[in-house]
Amino acid sequence: KKVFEPEGDLAGSQVLVTAGGTREPIDPVRYISNRSSGKMGYALAAAAVNRGAVVHLVTAPTCLEPPDGVKTYHVKTALEMLREVMNLYQQVDVVVKAAAVADYRPKMVSKQKIKKNDSGLIIELEKNADILFELGQQKKHQILVGFAAETEDLINNAQQKVAKKNLDFLVANDVTQPGAGFGTDTNIAKLVFPDRRIESLPMMDKLELADRIWDEVVKLRYGKTK
Ligand code: CTP
Ligand code: CA
């Protein structure tokens, strides 16, 4: 009987991809979230399966069907995502954090639906943990890749995030450009490295960008072992 042997340049690697925008509950019927569609993260997961990786996809809610062959973990909030990601971290070789994690969550979650009244409503928010920062602090053999959507000062912000979060590189995109960012099928990205090298990519399909990102990961993997 033939044993299944995956082929491809990510064969033998376990990768963790996060996707979607987390939802932070306000009351039983409402939440705070963001414009992330999950398309980039799902494209990354599908591309990694095609290249032979064992793929763990930790996903906030999206309208998308998880790609075939992916181990999928559904979460809603940033706290739930933190828990799943930390559970998987020691066993994976690569983490790509395409998820848009809410920076804040409502401090109190109302048990009942909040009724409207004639005055306004103030919702107090408290800070969520920075998952990628935590991963950076605990990094051993793993390759860590971040994502950043920016509306201004792209390179500066990106370089600061690479350093602060101890990343191997960051995929930055200016979401004010047509053809980049939320909900689109294409992206215009810059790969920003810790040595300040920057690679500006042309507009491309999110699946194509996913493969470009895995190319970069494969290059880095030759320099690292468990
Ligand atoms: N990230 C995370 N946990 C958070 C916030 C962000 O893991 N609580 C990750 C995202 O998944 C992404 C990267 O950090 O890969 C950059 O996210 P971004 O929102 O651009 O960075 P922040 O550090 O939150 O800075 P800011 O929102 O102020 O630009
Ligand atoms: Ca943020």
Side-chain angles (χ1 to χ4, degrees):
K1 206 169 159 189
K2 198 164 181 273
V3 179
F4 175 67
E5 278 180 60
E7 285 173 34
D9 53 7
L10 287 173
S13 299
Q14 292 210 36
V15 307
L16 167 56
V17 176
T18 71
T22 66
R23 290 181 179 174
E24 311 299 327
I26 297 168
D27 70 13
V29 299
R30 304 183 178 97
Y31 57 80
I32 294 174
S33 193
N34 57 68
R35 291 185 187 277
S36 172
S37 65
K39 280 179 187 168
M40 194 62 237
Y42 279 55
L44 280 157
V49 170
N50 287 337
R51 296 169 78 143
V54 170
V55 182
H56 304 273
L57 174 65
V58 176
T59 179
T62 70
C63 298
L64 307 171
E65 197 66 44
D68 284 343
V70 167
K71 294 176 203 288
T72 308
Y73 311 78
H74 291 278
V75 299
K76 292 198 178 74
T77 65
L79 268 171
E80 288 167 12
M81 183 170 281
L82 174 70
R83 241 174 262 137
E84 284 297 357
V85 166
M86 287 304 172
N87 271 337
L88 291 161
Y89 194 37
Q90 295 315 318
Q91 78 190 70
V92 300
D93 308 289
V94 187
V95 181
V96 182
K97 278 227 79 235
V101 183
D103 292 330
Y104 300 95
R105 63 170 178 268
K107 196 164 184 179
M108 314 285 275
V109 181
S110 171
K111 282 207 175 68
Q112 305 299 333
K113 182 184 170 194
I114 299 169
K115 301 305 286 180
K116 72 180 165 201
N117 57 41
D118 288 335
S119 57
L121 174 67
I122 292 171
I123 298 171
E124 196 183 343
L125 303 177
E126 67 185 343
K127 203 162 165 280
N128 270 326
D130 187 328
I131 303 170
L132 195 50
F133 178 80
E134 293 300 326
L135 297 177
Q137 295 276 300
Q138 298 180 30
K139 182 160 91 166
K140 294 187 192 98
H141 57 277
Q142 295 93 342
I143 290 170
L144 266 192
V145 182
F147 266 76
E150 304 286 356
T151 58
E152 59 180 7
D153 217 1
L154 181 83
I155 303 289
N156 242 324
N157 283 324
Q159 283 173 336
Q160 280 180 27
K161 285 173 190 176
V162 170
K164 188 176 164 219
K165 304 191 190 208
N166 193 20
L167 305 180
D168 292 275
F169 66 96
L170 180 111
V171 184
N173 58 91
D174 174 352
V175 292
T176 64
Q177 277 183 286
F182 299 118
T184 56
D185 287 322
T186 56
N187 222 340
I188 309 166
K190 287 185 165 51
L191 307 184
V192 180
F193 296 87
D195 62 1
R196 311 208 131 222
R197 186 163 63 86
I198 292 165
E199 193 165 335
S200 296
L201 303 175
M203 187 194 302
M204 59 178 84
D205 200 84
K206 284 183 176 174
L207 250 176
E208 216 181 321
L209 176 59
D211 267 318
R212 203 45 207 78
I213 290 164
W214 292 123
D215 288 345
E216 217 55 53
V217 167
V218 167
K219 272 192 238 165
L220 289 168
R221 273 217 65 177
Y222 285 114
K224 285 198 182 188
T225 43
K226 248 187 191 174

